């Protein structure tokens, strides 16, 4: 299979474009009510297929998209995260969503930091946002660990049509944070 995007390695994770072999894990992810509470709700295999194909197709159309997150220690698919900007999206986002067994391990922060590096250094983004439901305390903590703050309200396009908080920072703020080692 021809690679459609880069593979990025962090200390504990491999970030790579989605593959067909990820589908069953992605279905389990989308079937978990707790996981999907702030990500648009539970989705069955049919919608999961469309969602996965949309993210995979964005690599071809946009030249970037969310990565599948693979835990190095086990080789298991543990979520998806990365740059995301579908048509009508309220900004250049680095988002994340992980399976419940991966929560609390720092994977979202670790992977999102690598994806922010990619978005700023390779894609040339001037700003990175994270659209977060105000009730999603876990994602708010991740955004704040990354140095992001509430910038504005953001409305997601149809079919979602949700107004969320857009946490984020400029590329210059992200670069300065990296230099300081924070």
């Amino acid at each position: 299979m021809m690679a459609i995007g880069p593979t990025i390695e962090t200390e504990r994770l491999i970030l790579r474009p989605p593959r067909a072999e990820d589908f069953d894990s992605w279905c389990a992810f989308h079937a978990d009510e707790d996981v999907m509470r702030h990500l648009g709700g539970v989705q069955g295999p049919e919608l999961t297929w469309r969602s996965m194909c949309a993210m995979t197709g964005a690599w071809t159309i946009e030249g970037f998209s969310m990565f599948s997150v693979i835990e190095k220690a086990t080789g298991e698919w543990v979520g998806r995260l990365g740059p995301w900007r579908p048509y009508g999206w309220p900004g250049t986002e680095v988002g994340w969503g992980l399976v419940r067994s991966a929560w609390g391990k720092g994977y979202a922060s670790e992977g999102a930091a690598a994806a922010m590096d990619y978005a700023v250094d390779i894609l040339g983004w001037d700003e990175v946002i994270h659209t977060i439901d105000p009730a999603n305390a876990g994602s708010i903590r991740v955004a704040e660990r990354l140095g992001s703050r509430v910038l504005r309200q953001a409305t997601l396009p149809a079919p979602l049509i949700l107004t969320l908080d857009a946490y984020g920072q400029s590329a210059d703020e992200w670069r300065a944070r990296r230099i300081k080692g924070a």
Side-chain angles (χ1 to χ4, degrees):
M1 176 183 205
M2 186 174 84
I4 55 172
T7 296
I8 299 171
E9 290 196 33
T10 68
E11 180 182 341
R12 300 175 297 160
L13 304 172
I14 297 169
L15 309 179
R16 60 154 173 78
R19 298 178 186 160
E21 67 209 45
D22 301 337
F23 181 65
D24 289 340
S25 297
W26 210 307
C27 283
F29 169 79
H30 275 183
D32 187 317
E33 279 188 46
D34 287 337
V35 168
M36 295 302 292
R37 178 168 290 117
H38 304 292
L39 298 174
V42 170
Q43 297 178 19
E46 299 81 7
L47 282 177
T48 298
W49 176 255
R50 290 181 187 108
S51 174
M52 186 176 163
C53 287
M55 287 189 180
T56 304
W59 280 104
T60 300
I61 302 299
E62 289 266 68
F64 63 86
S65 186
M66 288 203 179
F67 298 95
S68 280
V69 181
I70 310 301
E71 187 179 50
K72 278 185 179 179
T74 64
E76 295 292 317
W77 187 96
V78 295
R80 49 49 165 187
L81 64 73
W84 186 234
R85 187 188 58 193
Y87 184 80
W89 211 249
T92 46
E93 178 166 19
V94 167
W96 52 83
L98 300 176
V99 298
R100 196 175 343 170
S101 64
W103 292 359
K105 296 181 178 182
Y107 288 172
S109 299
E110 182 177 328
M116 288 175 70
D117 285 344
Y118 179 75
V120 168
D121 297 340
I122 305 301
L123 300 177
W125 288 3
D126 293 327
E127 178 183 71
V128 176
I129 66 166
H130 324 289
T131 55
I132 302 175
D133 181 330
N136 189 343
S139 280
I140 291 169
R141 282 191 299 276
V142 171
E144 289 173 343
R145 264 188 233 114
L146 294 167
S148 294
R149 67 193 180 289
V150 176
L151 300 176
R152 59 187 169 272
Q153 298 288 291
T155 302
L156 303 185
L160 298 172
I161 313 176
L162 298 170
T163 299
L164 305 172
D165 289 333
Y167 282 73
Q169 59 192 290
S170 71
D172 287 340
E173 289 169 319
W174 178 248
R175 286 184 196 101
R177 184 173 173 80
R178 283 191 311 202
I179 291 168
K180 290 194 304 193

